[in-house]
Amino acid sequence: MTTTGRRPTPADPTPEPAAGIPSGTVRNLPPELGPDAIGVLDGLSFMFSDSAGDVPPGSIGGLVHEDTRFLSRWQLTLNGSRPLLLGSSPVDAFSAAFFLANPDLPDLPANRVGIRRQRLVGEGMYERIGLQCFTDDPVPIQLRLAVGVDFADLFEIKEQVRDRSAQIVRDHAADCSQLSFSYRNGEFTAGTEVRAIPAASRIEDDDLVWDLVLTPGEVWQVELHVPLRYVDRRIVPTRREFGEVFEVGDETDSATRWQAGCPDVRADSDSICDVFHKSVADLVSMRVEKEVRGERVVMIAAGLPWFLTLFGRDSLITSYQVMLGGPELARGALIVVAAHQATELDDFTDREPGKMLHEHRSGELTRLGLKPHNPYYGAADTTQLWLIVLSEYWRWTGDEALLQDVRDNAYAALRWIDEYGDRDGDGYVEYATRSSEGLGNQCWRDSWNGVQFADGTIPVLPIAICEIQGYTYDAKLRMAELADGPYRDPGLARRLRDEAAALADRFNRDFWIEDRGGYYALGLDGDKRRIDSMTSNMGHLLWSGIVPPERAAMVARQLMSDELFSGWGVRTLSTEDRGYNPIGYHLGTVWPHDNSLIAYGLARYGFRAEANRIIEAMLEAARYSDDRLPEAFSGYDRAFGRIPVPYPTACNPQAWASAAPLLFLRTMLGLEARDGQLLLDPAIPERFGRIQMTGVHGFGQRWDLEANGTQGHLRLSDR
C-alpha cells in the first residue's frame, strides 16, 4: 500500500489516502458558535447551536440524527435584526431555554419585546418560540426563521461539506404551514420537515415569516415540529412538552429500567449526590437501544457532538465504570459488541477474525462504502476490554447464561490477541492500519500526535502501546478465572496464567525506563525503541495490575508529581516533555475517564490518599460546570486560574466522563465483587463525611451500604 518510500507513522499511516473523502480530522469550534454553544441530545439525535439558539450557515451546528445533518441553518430575526441575548442554558440533557429581547430598532426601543425559545430534542426536534409585548401602543413585528438543510455527513461537518443543493428537493405547503426537503443519492435517502402552528404569513425562499401586530401585554407563540425521514424510516419527535422528564419504570425500555434501578445515593456532601445524579441523567440521554437475537438491550453512545454513536472502547469502559449503578449497561455493551465481532479479514475496515469493533457510523459516506465505519475495527484494545468487562459483569452478577451465550466470542477474542494482535510474534499487541481511511493511533490516545517521543518526534508504526499490554495481561488472568469456573476448561486456565506471567516479566523488562526517577515508556515503536514520553497511561497499568509491587510507589509518585498532576487531575503528558500543551488533545489535557482508571489503580495498590486526592479534585472541578465532567479540560496548573480551564472542543456530555464519578464513588468505597460476595473497604475523605447507598446490585440481589472514613457496613436491601 505504501509506494512513496515513507514509513507509516500515526501522522501519516497510509501515505496515499483516498482523494476527496473527508479525513475525519476534528474541526475546532468556529467563532460563530462561540465558547457558550449549547447542545441538547437524546439517543442518536442532537442539536448544536450558539448561545442564542441560532445555527448560522457554515458552522458545525445543526440538527443531526444518526450521523446526518437535517438542519444546517436555524436563525431567528425580529424586524430584520438579531435579538439580544439575555441568558440561555440547557435545562436537562435533551432540552434548553433561550431568553432574548429586541435590540434598539427604528420605532421600537430595546427590550420592549421579550422572546423565549424552548427546545427539545428526541428523535427529531420540537421548538416553541414565544413573544411578549411590553410597549405602550400596538407594534408591528416581523418574525423570521431562516431554515437551511444540507444533509451533510458528520465526517464532512468536521472538515468540508459537499454542496448537495442541486440534489435537494424543496417544497412548501400552500398555507405556509410546512417546509419540506428531501435528498437521495443511490440507496441513501433523507428528508426534513418543518411544521409551524400557527402557519407562517408567507414563505420566502427557505424562510418562514410571520407578520404580526402585537398589542400591549399580548403573548404570542409558534410551535415548530421537525420530524425526519432517514433511509425510508419516519422519525417523529418523541417529546413535545418543555420540562418533560423520563417516565421511569417502563419495563419495555431498558435505558429507563437501568435509570430506575440505579442505587439511591445520600451523602453529607452535596457534591457527591449532585454529580452522581447528573451523571446518571447524562448517561440515560446517551443511550442507544439495539435488538440482538430477539433481546432489546441498551448501550451508551460515546458523546456529543462528534461521537454520538457506538464506540466499542468507550462503551465498554463506560459500562465498567458504572457497574456500581447496575449491570444492565455492561450486559448491553457485551451483547452488542459481540454481535459485531469480526469473522474475516478486510483491509478497508481493519477487520480481523475475533476482533471487536471500534466505531459504527450510518451516514451517507459510510452507507455508500466511501468510509469504512459499518463498522470500523481500528482499535487494538477493544477486544481485551470486552474480555475484561465480561469478567467484571460475571463477578457482579454470576450470570452464567450470558457467559455461555458468548463463549465462542470470548475464545475468538483470545485467538485474535495471539494471532492478529501480536503482529510480529514478540508477545506484544501492536497496531498499524491497513486501511486507506484507517486511524494512525489505535489506542485511546487516537489523535495523530497523541503518541510521541519525549522530544516531540512521531514514532513509526506498528506501535505496542503500554496500557494495551496491561489490558492484555488483565484479560488473560480474568479469562483464566472464567476457564477455571463456568467454562470448565482447566487446561486453558493454566495456559493463560502462564502467558500472563510471561507477558508481565517481558513487559517490565522492555518498557521500564530508569531515567527521570523511573517510569514506564508509553510504548515501543516499529523499531522496538522505547517511546520515552511520560504520560498518564502509567495509571492504566496500575488498573490492570501488571505493575510489580516494588515499582508501584515510583509510578504513584510520578503520577502525583507537579509535572503530571495539575491540581485538578493527572495530565495526559508531563510538562517536561517537549510536546506538552495544556490545550493539546492528548498532550497535556486532563481527562476524567483517564483519571477514574488511574484513581482506581492507585487504590488497588494501596495508595488510597493519592487516589482520593484525584477524586476530590475531579468532583470539585465538576462543580464549575454544572456538576458535569466534560470529556477533557485544559491542563493548566490549578494555580494558573483557580478554576479548571475548559478545553475548547470537548465533548459535553461524553459517556466515559459522565461515568467517571460512579467509578470514583466505587473507589472511595472500596466496593468489589468477588466469589459471590460484595466486599466493602472504604477510605472516604473527611470532607465528604458519610455516604449511604441503597439498592446496589449484586448477584441478583440488592444491597444497602453506609460508609464514613474507613468504617462501613453492608446489608441486604428491602428495596
Side-chain angles (χ1 to χ4, degrees):
M1 183 176 294
T2 303
T3 61
T4 62
R6 297 195 306 271
R7 296 184 66 183
T9 70
D12 188 19
T14 53
E16 292 185 352
I21 301 173
S23 66
T25 302
V26 175
R27 178 183 170 199
N28 289 336
L29 283 172
E32 67 269 12
L33 287 188
D36 298 321
I38 289 179
V40 289
L41 76 156
D42 184 50
L44 295 176
S45 303
F46 71 84
M47 175 68 166
F48 210 43
S49 72
D50 66 16
S51 56
D54 284 341
V55 179
S59 79
I60 64 166
L63 176 64
V64 175
H65 176 80
E66 292 198 40
D67 302 322
T68 298
R69 181 159 65 181
F70 288 84
L71 287 175
S72 56
R73 187 182 189 191
W74 191 256
Q75 287 183 295
L76 190 69
T77 57
L78 189 147
N79 288 2
S81 296
R82 190 180 187 200
L84 300 172
L85 174 64
L86 303 180
S88 61
S89 175
V91 175
D92 46 40
F94 52 84
S95 66
F98 308 85
F99 301 95
L100 315 165
N102 68 285
D104 193 15
L105 297 169
D107 302 320
L108 184 61
N111 302 320
R112 298 301 176 91
V113 177
I115 306 169
R116 181 177 67 169
R117 305 175 75 168
Q118 298 169 296
R119 176 175 298 157
L120 299 128
V121 168
E123 301 287 296
M125 190 178 74
Y126 167 81
E127 184 161 327
R128 179 186 297 151
I129 302 172
L131 307 182
Q132 188 169 8
C133 182
F134 300 104
T135 59
D136 296 327
D137 300 300
V139 59
I141 295 293
Q142 182 194 90
L143 187 72
R144 180 182 294 265
L145 180 66
V147 179
V149 173
D150 63 4
F151 296 114
D153 189 287
L154 191 73
F155 287 109
E156 296 177 306
I157 300 172
K158 295 179 185 182
E159 191 171 339
Q160 184 174 359
V161 176
R162 175 169 59 87
D163 183 4
R164 295 171 173 79
S165 57
Q167 298 166 274
I168 296 174
V169 178
R170 293 165 165 79
D171 195 9
H172 66 266
D175 64 356
C176 299
S177 64
Q178 179 174 313
L179 284 169
S180 300
F181 307 84
S182 61
Y183 169 75
R184 176 180 293 275
N185 183 7
E187 296 182 356
F188 181 82
T189 60
T192 305
E193 296 175 10
V194 179
R195 299 178 177 179
I197 306 173
S201 305
R202 64 186 186 279
I203 294 176
E204 296 180 353
D205 295 325
D206 293 335
D207 296 358
L208 295 165
V209 183
W210 293 266
D211 294 316
L212 310 170
V213 176
L214 299 183
T215 59
E218 182 179 355
V219 175
W220 178 92
Q221 69 179 25
V222 59
E223 295 185 354
L224 299 157
H225 300 255
V226 187
L228 314 174
R229 294 192 309 279
Y230 177 74
V231 192
D232 299 325
R233 284 192 291 114
R234 184 170 177 76
I235 303 162
V236 179
T238 56
R239 293 191 176 84
R240 299 187 180 183
E241 288 300 326
F242 189 75
E244 180 182 356
V245 297
F246 284 104
E247 293 294 333
V248 298
D250 180 359
E251 292 300 318
T252 66
D253 177 28
S254 51
T256 56
R257 189 167 63 241
W258 178 79
Q259 184 186 25
C262 269
D264 183 41
V265 176
R266 299 179 183 177
D268 293 343
S269 166
D270 288 341
S271 67
I272 294 284
C273 297
D274 294 344
V275 175
F276 177 87
H277 292 129
K278 182 72 166 181
S279 292
V280 169
D282 281 343
L283 288 166
V284 171
S285 75
M286 288 180 278
R287 74 203 182 285
V288 178
E289 294 189 49
K290 295 285 185 181
E291 186 169 322
V292 181
R293 295 194 299 271
E295 180 179 358
R296 195 155 189 83
V297 297
V298 66
M299 62 186 299
I300 300 298
L304 176 75
W306 302 127
F307 308 119
L308 207 59
T309 187
L310 300 183
F311 273 76
R313 177 191 301 122
D314 298 57
S315 295
L316 290 166
I317 288 179
T318 298
S319 65
Y320 178 94
Q321 292 170 301
V322 304
M323 197 68 72
L324 181 70
E328 192 87 23
L329 297 183
R331 178 183 178 85
L334 289 166
I335 290 172
V336 174
V337 173
H340 289 93
Q341 187 176 34
T343 58
E344 57 188 16
L345 280 168
D346 179 66
D347 286 351
F348 185 56
T349 59
D350 278 331
R351 189 185 310 249
E352 295 162 340
K355 196 176 188 182
M356 299 298 185
L357 88 161
H358 169 55
E359 176 181 3
H360 185 276
R361 295 286 184 177
S362 52
E364 178 185 6
L365 296 180
T366 300
R367 285 181 173 271
L368 296 180
L370 300 174
K371 300 291 284 186
H373 295 82
N374 190 25
Y376 175 58
Y377 289 82
D381 53 2
T382 305
T383 308
Q384 299 91 322
L385 289 168
W386 186 88
L387 293 169
I388 290 168
V389 173
L390 178 66
S391 160
E392 193 72 4
Y393 173 82
W394 176 73
R395 289 178 179 179
W396 280 80
T397 66
D399 183 358
E400 291 197 19
L402 178 64
L403 258 65
Q404 298 304 332
D405 286 346
V406 299
R407 176 174 178 147
D408 290 346
N409 302 100
Y411 279 45
L414 287 173
R415 289 193 296 273
W416 176 83
I417 290 171
D418 294 334
E419 296 176 14
Y420 294 97
D422 183 1
R423 301 167 63 92
D424 56 10
D426 66 348
Y428 297 127
V429 173
E430 299 97 358
Y431 61 75
T433 184
R434 305 188 313 278
S435 173
S436 60
E437 292 288 318
L439 285 172
N441 278 318
Q442 299 189 358
C443 56
W444 84 264
R445 307 168 71 99
D446 58 0
S447 56
W448 69 268
N449 60 354
V451 175
Q452 57 180 249
F453 286 92
D455 65 4
T457 59
I458 303 298
V460 296
L461 293 167
I463 291 171
I465 212 74
C466 68
E467 79 275 8
I468 292 180
Q469 317 317 313
Y471 300 166
T472 301
Y473 169 83
D474 190 23
K476 289 195 171 187
L477 287 181
R478 286 171 176 267
M479 277 300 295
E481 180 185 16
L482 295 180
D484 267 339
Y487 286 153
R488 299 170 181 83
D489 192 344
L492 175 64
R494 288 191 297 271
R495 176 171 69 81
L496 290 174
R497 287 195 176 95
D498 288 345
E499 290 173 357
L503 172 58
D505 289 344
R506 186 167 55 247
F507 175 83
N508 280 285
R509 178 195 69 212
D510 295 342
F511 279 72
W512 184 252
I513 298 175
E514 293 289 351
D515 298 341
R516 300 166 70 176
Y519 67 106
Y520 284 98
L522 176 56
L524 303 180
D525 77 351
D527 294 324
K528 305 303 177 185
R529 296 180 301 165
R530 294 188 181 102
I531 304 171
D532 59 349
S533 52
M534 185 180 290
T535 69
S536 61
N537 295 46
M538 287 188 292
H540 294 233
L541 301 177
L542 296 175
W543 177 54
S544 71
I546 200 171
V547 178
E550 63 272 16
R551 283 182 176 164
M554 287 183 277
V555 173
R557 186 168 58 250
Q558 295 284 19
L559 291 168
M560 304 310 298
S561 67
D562 290 342
E563 291 73 30
L564 278 177
F565 187 71
S566 73
W568 297 111
V570 179
R571 299 180 178 97
T572 45
L573 185 65
S574 167
T575 58
E576 291 187 342
D577 284 25
R578 184 169 182 178
Y580 169 72
N581 178 354
I583 51 175
Y585 196 48
H586 294 113
L587 300 179
T589 47
V590 174
W591 289 59
H593 97 276
D594 189 27
N595 276 262
S596 74
L597 299 179
I598 293 169
Y600 185 96
L602 287 166
R604 174 177 183 165
Y605 280 82
F607 298 99
R608 303 297 290 273
E610 290 82 354
N612 283 342
R613 189 178 172 198
I614 292 172
I615 293 168
E616 290 183 80
M618 280 275 151
L619 294 180
E620 186 177 349
R623 302 298 271 180
Y624 290 96
S625 53
D626 297 324
D627 299 317
R628 172 192 284 164
L629 287 171
E631 175 188 21
F633 43 89
S634 300
Y636 290 108
D637 192 86
R638 186 168 182 147
F640 182 77
R642 302 293 182 181
I643 63 172
V645 179
Y647 176 69
T649 59
C651 287
N652 198 3
Q654 194 208 36
W656 60 15
S658 294
L662 278 73
L663 188 54
F664 288 143
L665 183 57
R666 176 180 163 186
T667 300
M668 288 189 293
L669 293 169
L671 188 63
E672 297 297 328
R674 291 290 186 275
D675 302 322
Q677 290 184 307
L678 282 184
L679 306 176
L680 185 68
D681 180 23
I684 311 296
E686 183 177 354
R687 65 183 291 187
F688 292 148
R690 187 179 307 274
I691 298 175
Q692 296 174 301
M693 296 189 72
T694 57
V696 176
H697 294 261
F699 325 112
Q701 297 176 297
R702 306 297 286 272
W703 304 79
D704 297 341
L705 64 86
E706 182 174 323
N708 193 353
T710 58
Q711 303 299 312
H713 64 268
L714 274 162
R715 64 177 177 83
L716 279 173
S717 177
D718 55 8
R719 176 175 169 178

